[in-house]
Structures are given as structure tokens and as C-alpha cells.
Amino acid sequence: GNVFCGVGRPVEANHVLQRALKIRVQQLGPQHPQVALTKFNLANAIMDLAGTEDAKQLLDEALAIQQQY
């Protein structure tokens, strides 16, 4: 996902990161630090698509997870 963001392809990044988030939540649980990192990366992709409210929610969720560790 980050590679797609880096080359200016936020739609593809969003798709890949949404899938990665779903898999990580299923495999690691919703409070795992890798889930927080994926939410952070997804928020960046969403911001590139001008979805600031959705991005803010993901960033808040990522921060809440990170504060547990």
C-alpha cells in the first residue's frame, strides 16, 4: 500500500491497505500494534483521496492502540 502512495496511486493503496487491515485484524486481533500501523498507513492513503474525516477516525484508532503499548 505504501508503495502505491509513494508513486501517487492512492486508490490502489487504499484497496491494498483495506485488505491488509482486514487480514491483520483477523490474524492478530484489533488491538495489535501492526493493526495500528496499518490504520495509520490507510489514513495516509485516504488523506490523499481527500477523505479527511475517515482518515481522522483511523488515526484516532491507531493512536489509541499505540497508547496501550
Side-chain angles (χ1 to χ4, degrees), residues 24-67:
R24 286 193 170 150
V25 168
Q26 289 173 346
Q27 296 293 317
L28 304 172
Q31 300 302 315
H32 194 278
Q34 285 296 317
V35 170
L37 179 60
T38 304
K39 286 185 177 199
F40 176 79
N41 292 335
L42 179 56
N44 284 328
I46 290 171
M47 282 190 281
D48 287 346
L49 297 170
T52 53
E53 281 302 312
D54 292 335
K56 182 185 180 316
Q57 180 180 342
L58 285 167
L59 290 171
D60 289 343
E61 292 170 10
L63 179 60
I65 293 169
Q66 287 295 335
Q67 288 176 334

Side-chain angles (χ1 to χ4, degrees), residues 8-23:
R9 295 172 58 186
V11 173
E12 290 93 338
N14 190 326
H15 175 72
V16 169
L17 290 165
Q18 287 280 358
R19 185 167 181 236
L21 179 60
K22 182 178 178 180
I23 291 168

